[in-house]
Amino acid sequence: MAKKKIQKTNAVRLLEQQKIPFELKEYEVEDGQIDGTSVAKKTGEAFEHVYKTLVAMHERERFVFLIPVDQTLDLKKAAQAVGVKKIEMLPLNELTKETGYVRGGCSAVGMKKLFPTYIEERAKEQETIVVSAGKVGLQMVISPVDLADVTEAKFTALIVEEESNV
């Protein structure tokens, strides 16, 4: 049986051009379950290993944040990381216009423009992480250091910490 050819995305092309090692993983999308935790389950990956790409804004500036799919972006930490008082999530209806990608297929690699990018610092502890390859149904396994290099990202604390009752 012939292997189905995977359509190359901007993210895949960019990584290939820069000779950055990565591996692609496809997952089914017919059920409409394309949120991060569903994708992690479909690809057999642990939640802390799969990262979602979030786009936020401050006035006319745009910022990209990558955090584990089961975590919540701490907007105060994110604003502090980028050096502004307050940021908010980019409205979904502006995502494709700003990035060239759609919800569920937004990759930090190969956006229309290279926005300041930040990766949750815990990613550095992992050999590889799984992120969108630029299309719904397609993920890529990549070294967080290589991902940071290609996106010019910084590692920083970005997620809401659980309150402990100790």
Side-chain angles (χ1 to χ4, degrees):
M1 190 165 130
K3 192 168 175 9
K4 185 175 86 177
K5 189 169 174 3
I6 294 175
Q7 177 192 349
K8 285 193 181 175
T9 63
N10 286 347
V12 170
R13 279 196 269 309
L14 190 68
L15 293 175
E16 286 178 348
Q17 282 168 0
Q18 296 192 20
K19 298 189 178 1
I20 294 172
F22 67 97
E23 176 189 319
L24 292 174
K25 282 188 161 211
E26 287 185 289
Y27 62 92
E28 291 301 316
V29 297
E30 284 74 29
D31 61 4
Q33 302 295 309
I34 60 169
D35 61 280
T37 53
S38 295
V39 170
K41 289 174 188 168
K42 289 177 183 186
T43 57
E45 298 285 349
F47 291 158
E48 62 272 6
H49 193 66
V50 181
Y51 279 58
K52 57 187 170 185
T53 304
L54 303 172
V55 183
M57 60 187 221
H58 171 76
E59 296 171 2
R60 301 185 72 84
E61 293 180 275
R62 304 295 181 253
F63 305 97
V64 178
F65 300 96
L66 289 107
I67 64 170
V69 294
D70 64 337
Q71 299 293 320
T72 303
L73 180 64
D74 184 320
L75 291 174
K76 283 189 175 127
K77 286 181 186 175
Q80 195 173 18
V82 304
V84 298
K85 270 194 157 72
K86 186 180 178 196
I87 64 169
E88 55 190 303
M89 298 308 296
L90 183 74
L92 196 53
N93 63 355
E94 292 181 32
L95 185 68
T96 302
K97 180 180 70 135
E98 293 284 344
T99 67
Y101 291 124
V102 298
R103 179 187 168 271
C106 187
S107 177
V109 179
M111 286 188 178
K112 283 182 174 182
K113 188 176 170 207
L114 185 60
F115 296 112
T117 302
Y118 300 83
I119 303 171
E120 167 55 38
E121 63 187 2
R122 294 175 191 179
K124 283 194 300 191
E125 299 163 13
Q126 302 187 58
E127 196 174 310
T128 59
I129 59 173
V130 181
V131 296
S132 174
K135 177 180 150 192
V136 176
L138 193 61
Q139 296 284 101
M140 61 186 171
V141 182
I142 187 170
S143 147
V145 173
D146 286 344
L147 180 63
D149 284 348
V150 76
T151 59
E152 299 177 16
K154 293 181 177 92
F155 290 97
T156 189
L158 292 171
I159 59 176
V160 173
E161 296 297 332
E162 296 294 317
E163 302 262 331
S164 73
N165 296 331
V166 180

